[in-house]
């Protein structure tokens, strides 16, 4: 019997009231956009424009390099100013294409894809999704066309839409579902055709009643799609947890949802697929929540991909004096930023500005072996053991204790009464273990 | 028969049977090992540092006795100890050039820009996982001393600007610091390789020097001044070709505007690079 929820997990403060009822709005185009070549999981794209080239909004400016890769498109009309290293949200410098936006352009976009998707075959649909540069908008930015081409021996049965949005503060998926429910349903239709599945389920946390209502009132009757309100618990939005909640099935260690015949896709990505076929435009803009107690006017914004962090903050009234920390993504798993010039990429779900009261550095005490971390780990690891191994640098033993199944959700750090930064230790250990394996090979 | 005698006989009998079996197995599967291996192992420093390229001192001893390597390959032993081993085995001591770990970054806290405060776990590995610890230059040294901790020979100490210094006399080039550094800033170099570019930043021009006063800004003067082919400009960084090390000389560093390229005699960072050089 599928439960209402998965086992373990934590209940962090939701803090979504800042933006959950703020309607999505557009911003004027910024003066320049910066488009990193690596905005997705997989190999970086290869530029196909030169410095000085004039590009139109929606033009492809970098080509996908291989199957697990995704092209990049100009998000504004203008001139290619530079192709060079630029600060990247991941915390280092990476090659990016910088476009000076033409201030006199109407930013009118030509239709590049065939909007009549019904006439297309499965292969043509998947190829169009790839051409449009669509990636998962939930944060990991995994190229969507790869998920849409399952291997022949792993034909999926069910499509699951992930509308949980369990990270505190973020409301992009919430607003997408509440404002564009038809678009979500159209995306479901297209994806079901691509995958050849008969059944689709939309999982939405109960703290978004307006989104559930909007999706239910527009539910199509000719396809088997249903909306499932699920328990509000972190990390409900992790795909393996959502599968457990909705189907009661467990994805094997090291496996993918495909192994249990499921494809999970974030609602915002599905809405984007629909948008691609509705408007004929590639993925060049996305919805971003700019929120947190450190920002003056929290908002949900549609912005061109490549907009600088500084521009977004200015558009929201700037940051308060009490602001201490800026995070891309949610506070549980997001990446802290140290530079105001970093661009919004396809995978940036939100910008959270924490203030002093919400980001106080905690003193870390020794482990008291209370076991709260074991009770919180949604994938049933032993964070207490892993933590002590990590501090000793015993990475091989950590691998035996299934370090690679850790998804760095941060539940153990949140639950720890001694404030031991466990998930940061694991993040470091993963990098160190990979380095060790490479040097051994 | 008393129970005592019975149990003594049973136990004794079992012991005899298995004892015989062990004795036979010992004969049957006996492997002869050169007794010199044990003696040589005792002569070695037992540091098990791996600098020789073998997995520990015992493996090095096996290869020494087999004649596959030479005593001087061990960089931990002093001259006397090397000659003891070579005399014992009756082989040439061999000659290796002294190698040391060099840090390819001179960006201490006094010259490099810090863009954000980092309040997390105080190790380089943990800081590197979180937006590079807030240091402006994402290639540079994070200064949390993971290398100092990893060094078994006390050859690394941190200076007042959180930059690790390697003491050449104590460094055995074991490579532990190379592995410990999450930014891959350590390289093992010959002591004779004196022309060193102490920078890894791929940025060029003012972009580089805005983040760190001693960064290589890729102006290319060193490449022009050095003998042909010794220094090449690659991806916004001066790169020394150590195959032509014999023709390298201190003239290459004369016009460097930031002091990123240096001529090192002995330890690094003894001469503070002049921040304001006259550009010629």
């Amino acid at each position: 019997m599928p439960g209402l929820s998965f086992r373990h997990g934590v209940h962090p403060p939701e803090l979504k009231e800042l933006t959950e009822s703020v309607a999505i709005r557009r911003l004027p185009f910024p003066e320049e956009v910066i488009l990193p070549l690596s905005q997705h999981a997989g190999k970086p794209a290869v530029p196909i424009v030169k410095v000085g080239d004039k590009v139109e909004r929606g033009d492809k400016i970098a080509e996908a390099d291989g199957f697990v890769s995704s092209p990049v498109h100009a998000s504004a009309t203008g001139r290619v100013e530079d192709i060079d290293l630029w600060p990247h949200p991941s915390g280092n410098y990476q090659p990016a294409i910088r476009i000076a936006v033409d201030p006199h352009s109407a930013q009118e976009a030509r239709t590049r894809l065939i909007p009549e998707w019904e006439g297309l075959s499965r292969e043509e649909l998947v190829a169009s999704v790839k051409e449009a540069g669509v990636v998962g908008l939930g944060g990991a930015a995994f190229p969507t066309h790869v998920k849409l081409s399952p291997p022949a021996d792993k034909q999926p049965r069910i499509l699951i839409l992930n509308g949980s949005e369990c990270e505190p503060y973020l409301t992009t998926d919430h607003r997408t579902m509440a404002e564009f429910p038809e678009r979500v349903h159209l995306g479901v239709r297209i994806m079901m055709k691509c995958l050849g599945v008969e059944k689709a389920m939309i999982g939405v946390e109960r703290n978004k009643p307006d989104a559930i209502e909007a999706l239910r009132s527009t539910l199509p009757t000719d396809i088997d799609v249903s909306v499932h309100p699920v328990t509000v618990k972190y990390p409900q939005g992790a795909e393996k947890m959502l599968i457990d909640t909705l189907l009661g099935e467990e994805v094997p260690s090291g496996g993918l949802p495909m192994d249990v015949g499921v494809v999970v896709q974030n609602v915002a990505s599905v809405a984007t697929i629909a948008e691609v076929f509705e408007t004929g435009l590639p993925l060049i803009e996305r919805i971003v929540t700019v929120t947190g107690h450190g920002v003056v006017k929290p908002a949900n914004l549609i912005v061109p991909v490549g907009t600088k962090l500084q521009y977004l903050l200015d558009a929201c009234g700037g940051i308060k004096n009490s602001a201490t920390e800026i995070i891309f993504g949610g506070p549980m798993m997001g990446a802290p930023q140290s530079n105001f010039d970093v661009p919004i990429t396809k995978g940036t779900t939100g910008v959270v500005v924490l203030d002093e009261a919400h980001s106080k550095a905690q003193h870390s005490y020794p482990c008291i072996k209370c076991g709260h971390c074991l009770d919180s780990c949604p994938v049933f690891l032993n964070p207490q053991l892993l933590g002590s191994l990590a501090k000793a640098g015993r990475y091989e033993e950590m691998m035996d204790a299934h370090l690679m199944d850790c998804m760095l959700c941060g539940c153990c750090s949140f639950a720890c009464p001694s404030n031991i930064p466990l998930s940061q230790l694991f993040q470091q250990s993963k990098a160190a273990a990979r380095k060790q394996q490479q040097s051994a090979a | 028969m008393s129970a005592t005698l019975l149990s003594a006989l049973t136990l004794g009998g079992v012991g005899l049977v298995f004892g015989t079996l062990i004795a036979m197995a010992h004969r049957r599967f006996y492997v002869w090992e050169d007794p010199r291996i044990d003696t040589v192992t005792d002569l070695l420093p037992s540091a098990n540092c791996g600098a020789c390229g073998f997995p520990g001192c015992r493996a090095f001893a096996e290869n020494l006795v087999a004649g596959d390597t030479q005593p001087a390959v061990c960089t931990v032993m002093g001259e006397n100890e090397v000659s003891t081993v070579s005399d014992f085995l009756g082989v040439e001591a061999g000659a290796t050039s002294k190698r040391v770990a060099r840090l390819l970054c001179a960006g201490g806290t006094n010259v490099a820009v810090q863009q954000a405060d980092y309040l997390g776990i105080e190790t380089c590995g943990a800081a590197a996982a979180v937006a590079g610890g807030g240091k402006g230059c994402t290639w540079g040294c994070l200064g949390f001393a993971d290398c100092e901790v990893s060094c078994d020979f006390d050859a690394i100490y941190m200076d007042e600007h959180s930059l690790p210094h390697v003491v050449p006399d104590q460094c055995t080039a074991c490579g532990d610091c190379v592995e410990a550094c999450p930014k891959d800033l350590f390289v093992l170099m010959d002591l004779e390789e004196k022309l060193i570019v102490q920078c890894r930043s791929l940025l060029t021009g003012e972009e580089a020097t805005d983040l760190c006063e001693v960064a290589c800004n890729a102006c290319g003067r060193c490449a022009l001044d050095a003998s042909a082919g010794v220094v090449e400009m690659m991806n916004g960084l001066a790169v020394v070709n150590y195959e032509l090390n014999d023709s390298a000389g201190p003239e290459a560093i004369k016009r460097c505007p930031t002091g990123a390229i240096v001529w090192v005699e002995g330890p690094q960072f003894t001469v503070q690079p002049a921040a304001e050089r006259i550009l010629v």
Side-chain angles (χ1 to χ4, degrees):
Chain A
M1 165 69 195
L4 289 167
S5 183
F6 61 98
R7 287 195 288 160
H8 291 183
V10 292
H11 293 278
E14 290 163 34
L15 300 164
K16 292 187 192 267
E17 63 278 4
L18 293 173
T19 51
E20 66 185 352
S21 50
V22 180
I24 300 169
R25 67 181 168 104
R26 272 181 187 278
L27 288 184
F29 276 82
E31 279 173 18
E32 61 175 8
V33 288
I34 293 107
L35 298 152
L37 297 176
S38 180
Q39 301 188 33
H40 47 265
K43 283 172 95 177
V46 183
I48 51 172
V49 289
K50 305 184 303 293
V51 174
D53 283 2
K54 292 256 193 287
V55 289
E56 244 184 80
R57 183 158 173 252
D59 278 351
K60 182 152 74 172
I61 53 175
E63 186 73 74
D65 185 14
F67 183 61
V68 187
S69 182
S70 186
V72 178
H73 300 83
S75 54
T77 302
R79 181 176 166 277
V80 177
E81 201 67 8
D82 203 1
I83 303 176
D84 202 359
L85 297 169
W86 193 268
H88 190 273
S90 64
N92 51 15
Y93 280 74
Q94 289 192 15
I97 299 173
R98 188 149 59 93
I99 297 173
V101 178
D102 181 356
H104 306 297
S105 164
Q107 299 294 353
E108 202 74 44
R110 273 184 296 128
T111 303
R112 282 142 221 275
L113 293 153
I114 318 138
E116 282 84 35
W117 65 275
E118 282 98 339
L120 299 178
S121 71
R122 248 172 100 165
E123 288 71 29
E124 284 168 332
L125 277 174
V126 175
S128 316
V129 168
K130 180 179 182 185
E131 235 3 65
V134 180
V135 300
L137 298 186
F142 192 76
T144 301
H145 64 269
V146 181
K147 274 194 185 175
L148 290 181
S149 345
D153 58 325
K154 283 182 185 161
Q155 180 56 38
R157 297 172 289 124
I158 301 176
L159 168 68
I160 290 183
L161 259 68
N162 187 349
S164 313
E165 199 160 55
C166 55
E167 276 269 7
Y169 285 111
L170 303 183
T171 55
T172 47
D173 293 353
H174 181 171
R175 291 313 303 174
T176 307
M177 290 185 286
E179 292 186 39
F180 310 110
E182 287 98 349
R183 203 172 260 174
V184 174
H185 292 312
L186 174 62
V188 171
R189 232 174 249 277
I190 299 172
M191 284 203 71
M192 284 171 82
K193 180 168 181 189
C194 286
L195 291 165
V197 299
E198 299 292 318
K199 186 175 162 66
M201 298 164 94
I202 309 178
V204 187
E205 276 192 354
R206 279 178 217 279
N207 59 359
K208 308 172 188 49
D210 51 339
I212 295 172
E213 185 46 42
L215 286 172
R216 282 207 166 136
S217 63
T218 53
L219 208 61
T221 46
D222 54 328
I223 51 172
D224 182 7
V225 49
S226 47
V227 179
H228 299 261
V230 295
T231 306
V232 182
K233 184 158 80 170
Y234 181 87
Q236 187 64 264
E239 53 182 17
K240 292 176 186 179
M241 304 304 104
L242 192 61
I243 293 171
D244 190 358
T245 301
L246 292 178
L247 305 173
E249 285 182 57
E250 190 178 327
V251 180
S253 164
L256 292 169
M258 258 173 215
D259 296 324
V260 291
V262 178
V263 169
V264 184
Q265 193 60 268
N266 169 271
V267 283
S269 329
V270 174
T272 303
I273 293 178
E275 207 183 341
V276 161
F277 288 101
E278 263 178 15
T279 63
L281 273 179
L283 172 52
I284 51 174
E285 54 188 25
R286 68 154 297 146
I287 302 166
V288 178
T289 306
V290 184
T291 180
H293 292 92
V295 71
V296 176
K297 266 195 310 197
N300 295 299
L301 305 167
I302 295 187
V303 292
V305 171
T307 305
K308 279 196 238 173
L309 169 60
Q310 183 71 61
Y311 184 81
L312 275 193
L313 294 175
D314 289 346
C316 294
I319 55 176
K320 295 178 189 165
N321 284 337
S322 59
T324 50
E325 198 176 335
I326 300 177
I327 303 169
F328 272 18
M332 297 294 282
M333 287 186 74
Q337 300 300 319
S338 65
N339 198 322
F340 287 109
D341 284 336
V342 291
I344 299 298
T345 61
K346 292 178 186 175
T348 312
T349 47
V351 177
V352 180
V353 185
L354 300 177
D355 65 355
E356 277 164 35
H358 291 84
S359 67
K360 198 164 153 259
Q362 305 278 351
H363 182 68
S364 172
Y365 295 93
C367 173
I368 54 168
K369 313 273 190 297
C370 65
H372 279 6
C373 51
L374 279 102
D375 288 340
S376 73
C377 181
V379 288
F380 291 82
L381 300 180
N382 182 346
Q384 181 255 319
L385 170 73
L386 286 169
S388 54
L389 289 175
K391 280 186 180 166
R394 286 151 69 179
Y395 303 124
E396 270 172 40
E397 285 160 79
M398 291 182 80
M399 301 291 265
D400 294 340
H402 304 283
L403 171 66
M404 287 306 169
D405 281 330
C406 170
M407 54 187 176
L408 302 172
C409 66
C411 286
C412 48
S413 305
F414 181 82
C416 182
S418 288
N419 297 321
I420 301 172
L422 289 160
S423 55
Q424 193 190 354
L425 281 171
F426 302 154
Q427 194 178 358
Q428 169 199 359
S429 306
K430 280 186 165 190
R434 260 185 232 119
K435 189 177 169 185
Q436 227 170 41
Q437 277 177 339
Q438 271 168 12
S439 63
Chain B
M1 207 176 342
S2 76
T4 323
L5 192 64
L6 183 69
S7 46
L9 277 177
T10 317
L11 273 179
V14 168
L16 202 67
V17 170
F18 282 108
T20 320
L21 276 178
I22 290 173
M24 280 164 67
H26 180 67
R27 277 291 172 89
R28 181 79 180 76
F29 301 115
Y30 177 72
V31 178
W32 184 82
E33 197 178 46
D34 197 324
R36 291 179 300 168
I37 293 176
D38 283 330
T39 322
V40 174
T41 308
D42 290 341
L43 292 175
L44 293 177
S46 301
N48 288 324
C49 67
C52 53
F54 298 101
C57 293
R58 171 92 193 172
F60 180 56
E62 285 168 13
N63 282 277
L64 272 179
V65 171
D68 293 338
T69 184
Q70 289 181 309
V73 170
C74 176
T75 51
V76 183
M77 290 193 289
E79 252 173 59
N80 293 334
E81 288 141 325
V82 169
S83 63
T84 316
V85 176
S86 58
D87 290 347
F88 174 75
L89 289 173
V91 295
E92 288 283 313
T96 46
S97 47
K98 167 87 176 160
R99 297 204 310 157
V100 288
R102 297 294 201 192
L103 184 70
L104 299 191
C105 174
T109 49
N110 54 335
V111 285
V113 173
Q114 189 74 13
Q115 276 174 340
D117 293 331
Y118 170 74
L119 303 172
I121 310 168
E122 293 193 345
T123 64
C124 305
V130 188
K135 187 164 184 158
C137 172
T138 60
W139 292 270
C141 172
L142 296 165
F144 289 109
D146 279 12
C147 48
E148 188 189 28
V149 173
S150 78
C151 185
D152 293 333
F153 301 97
D154 292 335
I156 299 179
Y157 68 92
M158 306 297 290
D159 72 4
E160 69 269 34
H161 307 302
S162 299
L163 202 62
H165 286 225
V166 180
V167 184
D169 289 343
Q170 262 149 280
C171 178
T172 64
C174 66
D176 279 355
C177 51
V178 177
E179 215 161 272
C181 182
K183 295 283 179 186
D184 293 326
L185 288 173
F186 277 105
V187 280
L188 302 178
M189 289 171 64
D190 218 294
L191 205 54
E192 287 308 304
E193 292 167 354
K194 294 176 177 169
L195 190 62
I196 301 175
V197 182
Q198 292 179 157
C199 182
R200 269 303 212 5
S201 165
L202 299 183
L203 295 174
T204 56
E206 280 180 11
E207 278 186 12
T209 48
D210 281 351
L211 294 177
C212 177
E213 285 174 26
V214 294
C216 170
N217 65 359
C219 65
R221 291 186 177 90
C222 51
L224 291 172
D225 294 350
S227 316
V230 171
V231 183
E232 264 181 88
M233 302 308 295
M234 277 152 104
N235 294 331
L237 200 58
V239 178
V240 180
N241 178 2
Y242 289 108
E243 281 174 21
L244 303 174
N245 190 41
D246 291 343
S247 50
E251 72 280 354
I253 72 163
K254 288 268 163 55
R255 285 201 298 151
C256 180
T258 61
I261 188 166
V262 286
W263 183 256
V264 180
E265 305 268 5
Q268 277 177 288
F269 313 123
T270 45
V271 188
Q272 281 298 316
E276 301 291 328
R277 291 207 191 186
I278 302 151
L279 299 186
V280 186

